[in-house]
Amino acid sequence: MEHLMLQHHQHLHHHQKLSLAKSSRQSCSEWIFRDVPSDITIEVNGGNFALHKFPLVSRSGRIRRIVAEHRDSDISKVELLNLPGGAETFELAAKFCYGINFEITSSNVAQLFCVSDYLEMTEEYSKDNLASRTEEYIESIVCKNLEMCVQVLKQSENLLPLADELNIIGKCIDAIASKACAEQIASSFSRLEYSSSGRLHMSKQVKSSDGGGGDWWIEDLSILRIDLYQRVMNAMKCRGVRPESIGASLVSYAERELTKRSEHEQTIVETIVTLLPVENLVVPISFLFGLLRRAVILDTSVSCRLDLERRIGSQLDMATLDDLLIPSFRHSGDTLFDIDTVHRILVNFSQQGGDDSEDEESVFECNSPHSPSQSAMFKVAKLVDNYLAEIAPDANLDLPKFLLITEALPPHARTLHDGLYRAIDLYLKAHQGLSDSDKKKLSKLIDFQKLSQEAGAHAAQNERLPLQSIVQVLYFEQLKLRSSLCSSYSDEEPKPKQQQQQQSWRINSGALSAAMSPKDNYASLRRENRELKLELARLRMRLNDLEKEHICMKRDMQRSHSRKFMSSFSKKMGKLSFFGHSSSRGSSSPSKQSFRTDSKVMQRTCASTD
């Protein structure tokens, strides 16, 4: 029965039901006997109620005891201190004593249950007293409706610890968890369907605004205070509510509460972190970064921040550059961004799943069963290079911190060093006061063999790099050019001049002479690289001319074929011997003719290119 009505006492007259919104300080003469003078005044939170002892002592054990203790002095005024629910709730309890009808709802049942305990309105003093009526309403009405349970919990926030001792909160939390789990199970069963082959499978579900799968309660729970919300979430976990639903509820709650800028923000952040499911990908990584930023600002516990860093590290390949740019809130002379936090996240990424007993080298093994996947490693390496380029111009970023991020990933993480080169170049540009030894430390991080053609060309002319690094770039560029030449010459026999030239290249640049100074090596490599580039250009032009000559010859043969076919056929027939004997004079094999033709073409091409 959703509306539990309280009947009038047998020896009292029925009175008109009045609004409960009236102030408790106002006179109670509207709903009490006007023809019977008041013999006791009850004071509650500054509000005075002129009442009668008989209706009160017939229902309330507490008031009965107080009146009995002061029988000789004929007490006329009683102050009830710390009464749950205040004056408004006492007015309802007094009406109950007078037998006046009013409605018990989810908005007042918690207060009425608590005040019935305070006033001792139990079956011991009267049948169907207020305590039993409110408890019955909670069990038969409230606990069968999830929304009403949430409303009762909200009303109970100001009734602690009494509401907890009376098990109002426990009953509502258990009902919410059971209801949410049951609705998810029902939703899952409703999605079961048979395929054409007769096998049972789960149909695809379109996500709705509430998350789908009976998760409409997510928004309702957001109104709860953090301590009660935490207890509801823990109960849901124990009941087996899906981690995705728990995660969606946490995101909704955080978005609602952390925008209020209340004094309880630190507690809210720390509590939400403890409630995060252990499974990955149940909350967006941007949400985790948002919590981490707030945790840094609020200076939450170390365990809270480390837990967030570990969770982010386990799915770092899904992060963006904006996620990593965590502002630094410590000192005015510090870096713009929090470098140490990002470094710990990168370490967590590299060591995810590893054992603490393993040494650092084993964790970074490329084929280690605990190491991140190859694709994830490549994504994070690209992300880190972009992050380095973003923080490099910071004037307060010293070299050790920059190196800390650069060396956080294992060497095999980067297949291309263009991003790393760009970040280091930006750092060198912003920190021009670096010593030569510091510049060498940075340059050693770059594998110049893993630079693209464009990046290599830029590095070869980059005056910010140490001279030895530029020499290395030129040397590797020369190796690439020689490789291109060798692959181009592989289809034809090497000419003596070409062999001599290649041998010359091998002698000149086969190894960098230790006796030569870096400047000499630099000049020598630059000169030889120019020669290699010119030779490669000549070779490409020569190949293009050969292709054009071949196309022209093929076109001429097609044009003359139809016109000279008959005459050519008769001449060849005259030369043939039907008995297998023919003269070899004046004839030559097609291969020799082709060779002579190619030789003429090559001579013309060489003449044109030379």
Side-chain angles (χ1 to χ4, degrees):
M1 50 182 198
E2 187 159 348
H3 302 294
L4 183 62
M5 306 299 297
L6 304 178
Q7 302 300 325
H8 199 287
H9 198 272
Q10 291 182 356
H11 68 281
L12 294 176
H13 298 289
H14 289 283
H15 290 271
Q16 184 180 4
K17 185 168 64 175
L18 301 175
S19 172
L20 301 180
K22 291 186 177 181
S23 172
S24 59
R25 295 178 182 270
Q26 202 172 4
S27 172
C28 299
S29 60
E30 291 89 349
W31 52 271
I32 63 173
F33 295 119
R34 296 185 180 183
D35 53 347
V36 179
S38 170
D39 57 358
I40 189 171
T41 300
I42 306 294
E43 182 181 353
V44 180
N45 293 347
N48 294 319
F49 295 85
L51 303 173
H52 304 87
K53 293 179 182 177
F54 178 73
L56 298 179
V57 300
S58 65
R59 292 281 191 177
S60 171
R62 189 185 187 103
I63 296 178
R64 179 185 296 188
R65 187 170 61 255
I66 293 174
V67 170
E69 291 174 353
H70 298 82
R71 183 175 299 178
D72 297 338
S73 61
D74 193 18
I75 187 172
S76 61
K77 187 172 183 178
V78 175
E79 182 180 6
L80 298 177
L81 301 174
N82 302 320
L83 185 138
E88 185 177 352
T89 304
F90 176 77
E91 183 179 358
L92 292 177
K95 284 185 176 183
F96 182 83
C97 294
Y98 277 81
I100 297 176
N101 298 336
F102 66 89
E103 185 178 354
I104 297 179
T105 66
S106 58
S107 300
N108 61 29
V109 67
Q111 294 93 322
L112 288 173
F113 196 6
C114 289
V115 81
S116 69
D117 180 79
Y118 179 91
L119 295 174
E120 299 176 21
M121 300 176 69
T122 62
E123 299 299 298
E124 180 182 351
Y125 301 101
S126 177
K127 186 179 180 181
D128 292 334
N129 213 339
L130 185 60
S132 60
R133 293 290 185 90
T134 52
E135 185 175 14
E136 179 187 358
Y137 184 85
I138 289 174
E139 292 179 350
S140 61
I141 304 297
V142 173
C143 288
K144 293 183 179 180
N145 186 290
L146 193 147
E147 291 183 5
M148 296 181 73
C149 285
V150 175
Q151 292 174 0
V152 171
L153 284 180
K154 184 64 180 176
Q155 297 300 323
S156 300
E157 291 177 355
N158 298 321
L159 300 172
L160 294 172
L162 184 56
D164 217 354
E165 295 171 359
L166 297 175
N167 203 27
I168 299 175
I169 292 177
K171 288 179 180 179
C172 290
I173 288 176
D174 188 64
I176 291 173
S178 301
K179 190 73 173 175
C181 185
E183 290 190 3
Q184 283 198 348
I185 294 174
S187 175
S188 298
F189 276 118
S190 66
R191 292 168 54 200
L192 289 175
E193 61 183 24
Y194 286 95
S195 63
S196 57
S197 61
R199 299 183 66 179
L200 196 63
H201 70 284
M202 192 78 70
S203 64
K204 294 183 179 179
Q205 184 183 31
V206 179
K207 290 186 177 180
S208 59
S209 59
D210 61 7
D215 294 345
W216 53 268
W217 45 264
I218 288 176
E219 196 67 29
D220 294 339
L221 295 181
S222 298
I223 67 173
L224 295 178
R225 203 169 65 188
I226 186 62
D227 53 341
L228 295 181
Y229 177 78
Q230 180 182 21
R231 293 174 62 177
V232 173
M233 288 294 102
N234 285 329
M236 284 187 169
K237 287 183 179 180
C238 293
R239 288 281 183 171
V241 174
R242 287 193 298 263
E244 294 80 5
S245 301
I246 299 293
S249 179
L250 292 172
V251 172
S252 175
Y253 189 86
E255 290 175 348
R256 178 188 176 98
E257 290 297 317
L258 294 179
T259 54
K260 296 179 180 179
R261 302 289 181 181
S262 66
E263 59 182 8
H264 304 294
E265 278 187 273
Q266 180 175 342
T267 302
I268 292 172
V269 171
E270 292 177 349
T271 303
I272 289 177
V273 173
T274 61
L275 293 173
L276 288 171
V278 296
E279 295 83 0
N280 279 341
L281 307 179
V282 295
V283 295
I285 193 170
S286 58
F287 174 69
L288 296 177
F289 272 105
L291 285 178
L292 182 58
R293 284 190 180 90
R294 194 61 65 89
V296 172
I297 296 173
L298 299 172
D299 195 23
T300 60
S301 63
V302 175
S303 60
C304 172
R305 280 176 283 176
L306 291 179
D307 189 11
L308 284 171
E309 291 167 7
R310 179 186 57 80
R311 291 176 182 274
I312 291 173
S314 65
Q315 47 188 313
L316 187 58
D317 55 306
M318 304 186 69
T320 64
L321 177 59
D322 290 337
D323 292 331
L324 280 183
L325 295 175
I326 304 172
S328 180
F329 301 96
R330 296 180 182 176
H331 307 291
S332 57
D334 202 356
T335 55
L336 294 174
F337 301 105
D338 193 337
I339 309 299
D340 295 331
T341 296
V342 173
H343 174 255
R344 288 193 297 270
I345 291 173
L346 291 172
V347 171
N348 277 295
F349 168 76
S350 300
Q351 296 180 349
Q352 58 181 302
D355 194 343
D356 294 339
S357 62
E358 294 178 346
D359 59 354
E360 187 176 356
E361 291 182 1
S362 64
V363 172
F364 286 157
E365 288 289 338
C366 183
N367 298 323
S368 171
H370 301 303
S371 62
S373 66
Q374 199 81 349
S375 60
M377 186 68 78
F378 293 159
K379 288 180 182 178
V380 172
K382 185 176 181 181
L383 176 65
V384 170
D385 290 345
N386 291 333
Y387 176 76
L388 287 169
E390 194 71 25
I391 66 174
D394 187 354
N396 292 326
L397 179 62
D398 56 16
L399 183 60
K401 281 196 173 184
F402 186 81
L403 294 175
L404 199 67
I405 301 298
T406 307
E407 298 173 338
L409 296 179
H412 68 265
R414 295 179 176 91
T415 55
L416 193 66
H417 275 221
D418 285 17
L420 181 60
Y421 165 71
R422 173 173 169 265
I424 290 176
D425 185 45
L426 287 172
Y427 187 84
L428 291 172
K429 186 177 181 180
H431 302 78
Q432 298 183 6
L434 288 177
S435 63
D436 291 340
S437 60
D438 288 341
K439 291 181 179 180
K440 289 179 181 178
K441 286 181 183 178
L442 286 170
S443 299
K444 286 181 180 179
L445 298 173
I446 307 172
D447 187 347
F448 294 104
Q449 288 182 290
K450 293 183 178 180
L451 291 181
S452 65
Q453 185 176 356
E454 293 78 10
H458 185 277
Q461 302 178 28
N462 192 346
E463 297 180 354
R464 288 184 287 272
L465 291 177
L467 189 58
Q468 291 182 349
S469 299
I470 300 177
V471 170
Q472 277 187 316
V473 175
L474 292 171
Y475 176 68
F476 291 128
E477 184 182 5
Q478 184 182 101
L479 293 179
K480 291 177 183 177
L481 289 170
R482 280 197 291 158
S483 176
S484 300
L485 283 172
C486 291
S487 62
S488 300
Y489 280 128
S490 61
D491 293 336
E492 49 183 300
E493 298 178 7
K495 307 299 182 291
K497 184 178 180 180
Q498 295 168 353
Q499 289 179 340
Q500 184 178 359
Q501 185 69 32
Q502 291 173 356
Q503 184 67 23
S504 171
W505 289 331
R506 282 194 292 269
I507 293 173
N508 292 339
S509 60
L512 295 178
S513 174
M516 295 175 67
S517 65
K519 290 185 178 180
D520 293 337
N521 276 327
Y522 172 74
S524 176
L525 287 170
R526 287 289 295 269
R527 183 173 58 255
E528 292 178 8
N529 283 359
R530 284 196 297 268
E531 294 175 359
L532 284 168
K533 288 179 180 178
L534 287 173
E535 182 63 24
L536 190 59
R538 291 193 191 100
L539 182 61
R540 287 172 179 167
M541 291 175 61
R542 179 178 167 191
L543 291 175
N544 289 335
D545 290 340
L546 285 172
E547 290 178 358
K548 292 178 182 178
E549 189 73 22
H550 176 70
I551 293 172
C552 292
M553 290 174 62
K554 189 175 180 181
R555 189 184 300 115
D556 292 341
M557 289 177 65
Q558 290 175 348
R559 289 176 179 174
S560 61
H561 178 72
S562 57
R563 186 171 61 251
K564 298 180 179 180
F565 174 73
M566 292 305 296
S567 60
S568 177
F569 177 75
S570 60
K571 290 180 181 179
K572 290 183 179 179
M573 288 296 292
K575 294 180 180 181
L576 289 176
S577 172
F578 290 97
F579 298 99
H581 299 286
S582 63
S583 175
S584 60
R585 296 178 182 177
S587 66
S588 61
S589 66
S591 60
K592 290 183 179 180
Q593 290 179 350
S594 174
F595 180 76
R596 284 198 297 269
T597 303
D598 291 344
S599 298
K600 292 178 181 179
V601 172
M602 293 173 70
Q603 289 173 3
R604 288 198 298 270
T605 305
C606 290
S608 62
T609 56
D610 292 340

